[in-house]
Amino acid sequence: GVEILNFDQVLHLRGPSLGGIIGDSILQKASAVLEMALAAEASQLETLRRRGRQDGIVTHPGPVAPERATSISNAFKEKFTEGGSGGLAILDNGADFKSFNQSSKDMELIEHRRFGVDEVGRFMGVYSQLLNQHAANSAYASVEQVFIAHETNTIEPWFVRFEEALKRDVIGYNGENRNVQFRFSRGELTKGTA
């Protein structure tokens, strides 16, 4: 069944928000990127399962007798579809093969992966360097600044959100606990800096 709770029975932790009142759904914002990543992975997996075999069309500059077309098609299917041995296709009399498939290079899978990781990190407020997306020209000093910026711009706002939600929804602004505050200890975060 459904139980309806009063506002004071719920700890409401609001996430990042463009409007400032209602938190945005990070998963909803990242869903398009995640769908694209899943589709690219599925396509690459299918290519690997087929051992790189190509779908395509054989064209011929002149007329081809139907039985010859069937013979060419059957020969291709036998060698280059699932379970086929593969090998070298020889097309004679000006015939040409055009692939329907895109290669991994054409699909830019590596770039899609990098983009997806960066994009989900952006929605979560996490810097690329913290997701092992290192720039080639990163020096220790710049990486250290990224960690400091991550603490300041990503973790600290979550601390504040938790502290404000606990004060509002658990401790309260009125009554005997009105002077009680909840604060996270930030000391552990600064141990890694120079």
Side-chain angles (χ1 to χ4, degrees), residues 3-12 14 165-174:
E3 183 178 349
I4 297 180
L5 302 174
N6 293 327
F7 185 78
D8 61 354
Q9 294 175 292
V10 178
L11 174 64
H12 185 184
R14 293 175 178 91
L166 289 166
K167 177 63 177 170
R168 182 190 64 237
D169 297 340
V170 177
I171 300 169
Y173 294 104
N174 301 316

PDB file of all heavy atoms in Angstrom, residues 3-12 14 165-174:
ATOM      1  N   GLU A   3       1.794   4.815   1.747  1.00  0.00           N
ATOM      2  CA  GLU A   3       1.727   5.552   3.008  1.00  0.00           C
ATOM      3  C   GLU A   3       2.107   6.993   2.740  1.00  0.00           C
ATOM      4  O   GLU A   3       3.129   7.274   2.104  1.00  0.00           O
ATOM      5  CB  GLU A   3       2.689   4.946   4.022  1.00  0.00           C
ATOM      6  CG  GLU A   3       2.613   5.614   5.383  1.00  0.00           C
ATOM      7  CD  GLU A   3       3.548   4.982   6.404  1.00  0.00           C
ATOM      8  OE1 GLU A   3       4.095   3.898   6.104  1.00  0.00           O
ATOM      9  OE2 GLU A   3       3.733   5.572   7.466  1.00  0.00           O
ATOM     10  N   ILE A   4       1.287   7.899   3.181  1.00  0.00           N
ATOM     11  CA  ILE A   4       1.553   9.321   2.985  1.00  0.00           C
ATOM     12  C   ILE A   4       2.252   9.849   4.232  1.00  0.00           C
ATOM     13  O   ILE A   4       1.769   9.689   5.350  1.00  0.00           O
ATOM     14  CB  ILE A   4       0.251  10.096   2.707  1.00  0.00           C
ATOM     15  CG1 ILE A   4      -0.359   9.569   1.406  1.00  0.00           C
ATOM     16  CG2 ILE A   4       0.538  11.590   2.636  1.00  0.00           C
ATOM     17  CD1 ILE A   4      -1.635  10.218   1.000  1.00  0.00           C
ATOM     18  N   LEU A   5       3.424  10.462   4.020  1.00  0.00           N
ATOM     19  CA  LEU A   5       4.221  10.991   5.124  1.00  0.00           C
ATOM     20  C   LEU A   5       4.074  12.499   5.197  1.00  0.00           C
ATOM     21  O   LEU A   5       3.905  13.174   4.181  1.00  0.00           O
ATOM     22  CB  LEU A   5       5.698  10.646   4.915  1.00  0.00           C
ATOM     23  CG  LEU A   5       6.037   9.161   4.793  1.00  0.00           C
ATOM     24  CD1 LEU A   5       7.503   8.981   4.439  1.00  0.00           C
ATOM     25  CD2 LEU A   5       5.715   8.435   6.087  1.00  0.00           C
ATOM     26  N   ASN A   6       4.157  13.005   6.414  1.00  0.00           N
ATOM     27  CA  ASN A   6       4.182  14.456   6.601  1.00  0.00           C
ATOM     28  C   ASN A   6       5.560  14.992   6.229  1.00  0.00           C
ATOM     29  O   ASN A   6       6.559  14.255   6.239  1.00  0.00           O
ATOM     30  CB  ASN A   6       3.865  14.820   8.059  1.00  0.00           C
ATOM     31  CG  ASN A   6       2.443  14.492   8.421  1.00  0.00           C
ATOM     32  OD1 ASN A   6       1.534  14.580   7.591  1.00  0.00           O
ATOM     33  ND2 ASN A   6       2.250  14.059   9.660  1.00  0.00           N
ATOM     34  N   PHE A   7       5.615  16.256   5.952  1.00  0.00           N
ATOM     35  CA  PHE A   7       6.879  16.891   5.567  1.00  0.00           C
ATOM     36  C   PHE A   7       7.946  16.679   6.634  1.00  0.00           C
ATOM     37  O   PHE A   7       9.110  16.457   6.336  1.00  0.00           O
ATOM     38  CB  PHE A   7       6.648  18.389   5.331  1.00  0.00           C
ATOM     39  CG  PHE A   7       7.864  19.108   4.821  1.00  0.00           C
ATOM     40  CD1 PHE A   7       8.214  19.000   3.482  1.00  0.00           C
ATOM     41  CD2 PHE A   7       8.660  19.855   5.656  1.00  0.00           C
ATOM     42  CE1 PHE A   7       9.339  19.645   3.002  1.00  0.00           C
ATOM     43  CE2 PHE A   7       9.790  20.499   5.181  1.00  0.00           C
ATOM     44  CZ  PHE A   7      10.129  20.404   3.844  1.00  0.00           C
ATOM     45  N   ASP A   8       7.567  16.720   7.912  1.00  0.00           N
ATOM     46  CA  ASP A   8       8.551  16.584   8.992  1.00  0.00           C
ATOM     47  C   ASP A   8       9.014  15.143   9.198  1.00  0.00           C
ATOM     48  O   ASP A   8       9.864  14.880  10.037  1.00  0.00           O
ATOM     49  CB  ASP A   8       7.997  17.172  10.299  1.00  0.00           C
ATOM     50  CG  ASP A   8       6.736  16.463  10.779  1.00  0.00           C
ATOM     51  OD1 ASP A   8       6.212  15.599  10.051  1.00  0.00           O
ATOM     52  OD2 ASP A   8       6.286  16.783  11.887  1.00  0.00           O
ATOM     53  N   GLN A   9       8.485  14.192   8.445  1.00  0.00           N
ATOM     54  CA  GLN A   9       8.913  12.797   8.536  1.00  0.00           C
ATOM     55  C   GLN A   9       9.902  12.424   7.428  1.00  0.00           C
ATOM     56  O   GLN A   9      10.315  11.280   7.326  1.00  0.00           O
ATOM     57  CB  GLN A   9       7.698  11.864   8.440  1.00  0.00           C
ATOM     58  CG  GLN A   9       6.736  11.988   9.607  1.00  0.00           C
ATOM     59  CD  GLN A   9       5.515  11.123   9.384  1.00  0.00           C
ATOM     60  OE1 GLN A   9       4.703  11.388   8.495  1.00  0.00           O
ATOM     61  NE2 GLN A   9       5.405  10.078  10.187  1.00  0.00           N
ATOM     62  N   VAL A  10      10.254  13.391   6.605  1.00  0.00           N
ATOM     63  CA  VAL A  10      11.084  13.119   5.428  1.00  0.00           C
ATOM     64  C   VAL A  10      12.309  14.027   5.434  1.00  0.00           C
ATOM     65  O   VAL A  10      12.196  15.223   5.663  1.00  0.00           O
ATOM     66  CB  VAL A  10      10.276  13.363   4.132  1.00  0.00           C
ATOM     67  CG1 VAL A  10      11.140  13.138   2.906  1.00  0.00           C
ATOM     68  CG2 VAL A  10       9.046  12.489   4.086  1.00  0.00           C
ATOM     69  N   LEU A  11      13.463  13.426   5.204  1.00  0.00           N
ATOM     70  CA  LEU A  11      14.684  14.211   4.974  1.00  0.00           C
ATOM     71  C   LEU A  11      14.754  14.453   3.474  1.00  0.00           C
ATOM     72  O   LEU A  11      14.960  13.528   2.693  1.00  0.00           O
ATOM     73  CB  LEU A  11      15.925  13.457   5.456  1.00  0.00           C
ATOM     74  CG  LEU A  11      17.268  14.129   5.132  1.00  0.00           C
ATOM     75  CD1 LEU A  11      17.390  15.464   5.846  1.00  0.00           C
ATOM     76  CD2 LEU A  11      18.415  13.220   5.502  1.00  0.00           C
ATOM     77  N   HIS A  12      14.550  15.678   3.064  1.00  0.00           N
ATOM     78  CA  HIS A  12      14.504  16.029   1.638  1.00  0.00           C
ATOM     79  C   HIS A  12      15.826  16.678   1.249  1.00  0.00           C
ATOM     80  O   HIS A  12      16.076  17.831   1.549  1.00  0.00           O
ATOM     81  CB  HIS A  12      13.335  16.983   1.379  1.00  0.00           C
ATOM     82  CG  HIS A  12      13.147  17.284  -0.073  1.00  0.00           C
ATOM     83  ND1 HIS A  12      12.227  18.175  -0.537  1.00  0.00           N
ATOM     84  CD2 HIS A  12      13.770  16.793  -1.175  1.00  0.00           C
ATOM     85  CE1 HIS A  12      12.287  18.245  -1.849  1.00  0.00           C
ATOM     86  NE2 HIS A  12      13.224  17.419  -2.258  1.00  0.00           N
ATOM     87  N   ARG A  14      17.920  18.118  -1.559  1.00  0.00           N
ATOM     88  CA  ARG A  14      17.778  18.635  -2.921  1.00  0.00           C
ATOM     89  C   ARG A  14      19.127  18.626  -3.621  1.00  0.00           C
ATOM     90  O   ARG A  14      20.128  19.046  -3.058  1.00  0.00           O
ATOM     91  CB  ARG A  14      17.216  20.053  -2.889  1.00  0.00           C
ATOM     92  CG  ARG A  14      15.787  20.119  -2.400  1.00  0.00           C
ATOM     93  CD  ARG A  14      15.310  21.560  -2.265  1.00  0.00           C
ATOM     94  NE  ARG A  14      13.919  21.618  -1.845  1.00  0.00           N
ATOM     95  CZ  ARG A  14      13.518  21.676  -0.596  1.00  0.00           C
ATOM     96  NH1 ARG A  14      14.404  21.660   0.385  1.00  0.00           N
ATOM     97  NH2 ARG A  14      12.240  21.727  -0.298  1.00  0.00           N
ATOM     98  N   ALA A 165      19.704  20.426   4.967  1.00  0.00           N
ATOM     99  CA  ALA A 165      18.569  19.501   5.028  1.00  0.00           C
ATOM    100  C   ALA A 165      18.427  18.918   6.429  1.00  0.00           C
ATOM    101  O   ALA A 165      17.302  18.787   6.947  1.00  0.00           O
ATOM    102  CB  ALA A 165      18.738  18.384   3.997  1.00  0.00           C
ATOM    103  N   LEU A 166      19.535  18.568   7.059  1.00  0.00           N
ATOM    104  CA  LEU A 166      19.472  18.025   8.419  1.00  0.00           C
ATOM    105  C   LEU A 166      18.980  19.071   9.417  1.00  0.00           C
ATOM    106  O   LEU A 166      18.188  18.758  10.309  1.00  0.00           O
ATOM    107  CB  LEU A 166      20.833  17.471   8.830  1.00  0.00           C
ATOM    108  CG  LEU A 166      21.224  16.173   8.111  1.00  0.00           C
ATOM    109  CD1 LEU A 166      22.702  15.876   8.318  1.00  0.00           C
ATOM    110  CD2 LEU A 166      20.373  15.009   8.585  1.00  0.00           C
ATOM    111  N   LYS A 167      19.418  20.318   9.261  1.00  0.00           N
ATOM    112  CA  LYS A 167      18.942  21.385  10.152  1.00  0.00           C
ATOM    113  C   LYS A 167      17.445  21.606   9.948  1.00  0.00           C
ATOM    114  O   LYS A 167      16.668  21.682  10.901  1.00  0.00           O
ATOM    115  CB  LYS A 167      19.722  22.674   9.896  1.00  0.00           C
ATOM    116  CG  LYS A 167      19.255  23.870  10.714  1.00  0.00           C
ATOM    117  CD  LYS A 167      19.439  23.664  12.201  1.00  0.00           C
ATOM    118  CE  LYS A 167      19.033  24.920  12.972  1.00  0.00           C
ATOM    119  NZ  LYS A 167      18.972  24.657  14.402  1.00  0.00           N
ATOM    120  N   ARG A 168      17.033  21.671   8.692  1.00  0.00           N
ATOM    121  CA  ARG A 168      15.631  21.958   8.373  1.00  0.00           C
ATOM    122  C   ARG A 168      14.708  20.802   8.746  1.00  0.00           C
ATOM    123  O   ARG A 168      13.674  21.001   9.375  1.00  0.00           O
ATOM    124  CB  ARG A 168      15.518  22.270   6.878  1.00  0.00           C
ATOM    125  CG  ARG A 168      14.125  22.643   6.397  1.00  0.00           C
ATOM    126  CD  ARG A 168      14.039  22.708   4.879  1.00  0.00           C
ATOM    127  NE  ARG A 168      14.274  21.389   4.303  1.00  0.00           N
ATOM    128  CZ  ARG A 168      15.232  21.124   3.415  1.00  0.00           C
ATOM    129  NH1 ARG A 168      16.023  22.071   2.977  1.00  0.00           N
ATOM    130  NH2 ARG A 168      15.396  19.891   2.959  1.00  0.00           N
ATOM    131  N   ASP A 169      15.096  19.561   8.350  1.00  0.00           N
ATOM    132  CA  ASP A 169      14.168  18.444   8.443  1.00  0.00           C
ATOM    133  C   ASP A 169      14.341  17.572   9.689  1.00  0.00           C
ATOM    134  O   ASP A 169      13.435  16.823  10.040  1.00  0.00           O
ATOM    135  CB  ASP A 169      14.298  17.546   7.204  1.00  0.00           C
ATOM    136  CG  ASP A 169      13.934  18.279   5.916  1.00  0.00           C
ATOM    137  OD1 ASP A 169      13.241  19.310   5.992  1.00  0.00           O
ATOM    138  OD2 ASP A 169      14.355  17.815   4.834  1.00  0.00           O
ATOM    139  N   VAL A 170      15.504  17.632  10.347  1.00  0.00           N
ATOM    140  CA  VAL A 170      15.739  16.777  11.512  1.00  0.00           C
ATOM    141  C   VAL A 170      15.842  17.595  12.800  1.00  0.00           C
ATOM    142  O   VAL A 170      15.122  17.359  13.761  1.00  0.00           O
ATOM    143  CB  VAL A 170      17.016  15.911  11.311  1.00  0.00           C
ATOM    144  CG1 VAL A 170      17.296  15.075  12.549  1.00  0.00           C
ATOM    145  CG2 VAL A 170      16.867  15.015  10.077  1.00  0.00           C
ATOM    146  N   ILE A 171      16.741  18.575  12.824  1.00  0.00           N
ATOM    147  CA  ILE A 171      16.972  19.354  14.051  1.00  0.00           C
ATOM    148  C   ILE A 171      15.890  20.409  14.227  1.00  0.00           C
ATOM    149  O   ILE A 171      15.314  20.553  15.297  1.00  0.00           O
ATOM    150  CB  ILE A 171      18.373  20.010  14.017  1.00  0.00           C
ATOM    151  CG1 ILE A 171      19.447  18.921  13.918  1.00  0.00           C
ATOM    152  CG2 ILE A 171      18.591  20.884  15.241  1.00  0.00           C
ATOM    153  CD1 ILE A 171      20.839  19.437  13.620  1.00  0.00           C
ATOM    154  N   GLY A 172      15.615  21.157  13.159  1.00  0.00           N
ATOM    155  CA  GLY A 172      14.583  22.193  13.205  1.00  0.00           C
ATOM    156  C   GLY A 172      15.141  23.544  13.618  1.00  0.00           C
ATOM    157  O   GLY A 172      16.205  23.655  14.238  1.00  0.00           O
ATOM    158  N   TYR A 173      14.426  24.589  13.225  1.00  0.00           N
ATOM    159  CA  TYR A 173      14.825  25.961  13.537  1.00  0.00           C
ATOM    160  C   TYR A 173      14.171  26.472  14.815  1.00  0.00           C
ATOM    161  O   TYR A 173      14.563  27.492  15.351  1.00  0.00           O
ATOM    162  CB  TYR A 173      14.450  26.901  12.377  1.00  0.00           C
ATOM    163  CG  TYR A 173      15.237  26.618  11.118  1.00  0.00           C
ATOM    164  CD1 TYR A 173      14.651  25.951  10.036  1.00  0.00           C
ATOM    165  CD2 TYR A 173      16.564  27.025  11.001  1.00  0.00           C
ATOM    166  CE1 TYR A 173      15.376  25.693   8.883  1.00  0.00           C
ATOM    167  CE2 TYR A 173      17.290  26.767   9.851  1.00  0.00           C
ATOM    168  CZ  TYR A 173      16.691  26.104   8.800  1.00  0.00           C
ATOM    169  OH  TYR A 173      17.418  25.845   7.670  1.00  0.00           O
ATOM    170  N   ASN A 174      13.169  25.764  15.300  1.00  0.00           N
ATOM    171  CA  ASN A 174      12.445  26.189  16.501  1.00  0.00           C
ATOM    172  C   ASN A 174      12.585  25.129  17.591  1.00  0.00           C
ATOM    173  O   ASN A 174      13.078  24.033  17.352  1.00  0.00           O
ATOM    174  CB  ASN A 174      10.951  26.400  16.182  1.00  0.00           C
ATOM    175  CG  ASN A 174      10.754  27.451  15.098  1.00  0.00           C
ATOM    176  OD1 ASN A 174      11.385  28.496  15.129  1.00  0.00           O
ATOM    177  ND2 ASN A 174       9.896  27.151  14.136  1.00  0.00           N
TER     178      ASN A 174
END
